[in-house]
Structures are given as C-alpha cells and as structure tokens.
C-alpha cells in the first residue's frame, strides 16, 4: 500500500470473493480506508464456469432455478439450458465441453474512492460503481446462463458456494 501511495505500480493477488470485496479485505487487514481508496487502481475477480456441450437440454426453468435466480436479484428467463442426462460421445458423457471465464473488473471512480475513504456501506459503494459501468461477477455469469451457454447450477457452484 505504501509503495502504491508513492506512485509505484504494484501488482498483487489477494483472496477475496469479488473485486468489490477487495476494499473490505484490505480494510480488514488493518489498512485505513483512505489509504485503500487511494492505493487501489484496479481489481479483477475471475472464475471459470463449465460450458454446456451442444447436446444440452433447453427447457423452462424449474422452481428451484427460478427461486435461486430471484434470491440473487436476477430475472427469470423463459428458457434455460442444462446438461443432457448422460451427455453424448462428443462431451464424453458429461454434458459439458470447455470452460467460460466470468469476471468482474473494478476501476474505482472518484465517487467510489470517496465512499470507500469515508467508510460508506457496501450497498452504497456497489450502487456508485454500477452507475459508473461496473458489472458484478454474478451478472457476468448470468449473461452466459441467458445465452444458454452454462446452466444456473454453475452460478451456484462457482460463485455462491452452492446456495
């Protein structure tokens, strides 16, 4: 943090569930909010979701899928895809073929920096970041679900710990 505050480019990794949570993680390590807000110029969070193979099954969402999406503030599309039971020879019986990167990139605006420095609630910081064009990793993952490239259960498995 000190090197970053003196103008040096510092590349690092940190264990956080999302790019937005980097602020909380650094603050939790005892770094003052004003220093966190000034030192962080970019945060990236990424995961890999399994890509459905062409043998996928497309159908209306189940009650469980609809409930999951609603619980996470996501719309419920008319159709969703899931792996074909037993798959096919092209996917070696798994229903999946390859991975899809999902990510969240946060380049904090001055408004976000000010909110972080003053200890504003995360909901307010999220709102300001979204107004500046930030997209959460779960929204990026949902984009692939809507495109029928990955099933809802992948969001659950990869991003929410199965909830």
């Amino acid at each position: 943090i000190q090197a970053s505050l003196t103008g040096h480019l510092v590349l690092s990794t940190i264990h956080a569930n999302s790019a937005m949570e980097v602020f909380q993680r650094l603050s939790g390590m005892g770094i003052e909010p004003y220093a966190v807000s000034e030192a962080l110029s970019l945060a990236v969070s990424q995961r890999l979701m399994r890509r459905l193979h062409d043998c996928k099954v497309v159908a209306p969402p189940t009650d469980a899928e609809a409930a999951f999406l609603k619980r996470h503030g996501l719309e419920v599309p008319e159709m969703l895809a899931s792996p074909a039971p037993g798959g096919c020879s092209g996917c070696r019986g798994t229903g999946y073929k390859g991975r899809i990167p999902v990510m969240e990139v946060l380049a904090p605006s001055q408004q976000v920096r000010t909110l972080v420095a003053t200890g504003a609630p995360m909901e307010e910081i999220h709102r300001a970041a979204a107004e500046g064009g930030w997209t959460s990793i779960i929204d990026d993952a949902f984009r692939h679900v809507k495109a029928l490239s990955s099933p809802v259960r992948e969001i659950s498995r990869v991003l929410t710990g199965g909830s």
Side-chain angles (χ1 to χ4, degrees):
I1 294 295
Q2 288 176 343
S4 177
L5 291 173
T6 61
H8 292 83
L9 175 62
V10 179
L11 303 175
S12 180
T13 61
I14 188 165
H15 293 279
N17 289 327
S18 70
M20 190 65 74
E21 288 182 27
V22 170
F23 293 123
Q24 291 174 313
R25 183 78 171 107
L26 291 171
S27 294
M29 296 170 76
I31 301 167
E32 293 294 327
Y34 76 88
V36 171
S37 74
E38 289 302 317
L40 188 69
S41 57
L42 184 72
V44 177
S45 179
Q46 62 184 10
R47 303 280 192 290
L48 292 173
M49 291 191 338
R50 293 179 292 181
R51 178 187 308 271
L52 288 166
H53 187 255
D54 293 340
C55 65
K56 65 189 168 205
V57 175
V58 178
T62 65
D63 291 342
E65 288 170 330
F68 174 86
L69 293 171
K70 288 177 185 175
R71 188 168 54 252
H72 291 283
L74 301 168
E75 68 180 83
V76 180
E78 290 183 28
M79 302 299 275
L80 291 172
S82 59
C88 68
S89 62
C91 65
R92 298 184 182 164
T94 65
Y96 296 98
K97 184 89 174 187
R99 303 281 174 156
I100 301 169
V102 292
M103 57 186 46
E104 173 179 298
V105 178
L106 175 65
S109 65
Q110 189 55 51
Q111 181 183 13
V112 168
R113 289 179 188 284
T114 300
L115 291 170
V116 170
T118 59
M122 282 308 292
E123 297 81 27
E124 196 173 336
I125 297 169
H126 277 194
R127 195 169 22 261
E131 288 170 3
W134 166 78
T135 300
S136 72
I137 195 167
I138 199 163
D139 287 337
D140 188 43
F142 183 60
R143 176 174 63 94
H144 297 290
V145 168
K146 286 192 324 188
L148 306 177
S149 301
S150 195
V152 170
R153 72 177 90 162
E154 279 297 284
I155 294 177
S156 175
R157 185 184 72 81
V158 173
L159 299 177
T160 65
S163 66

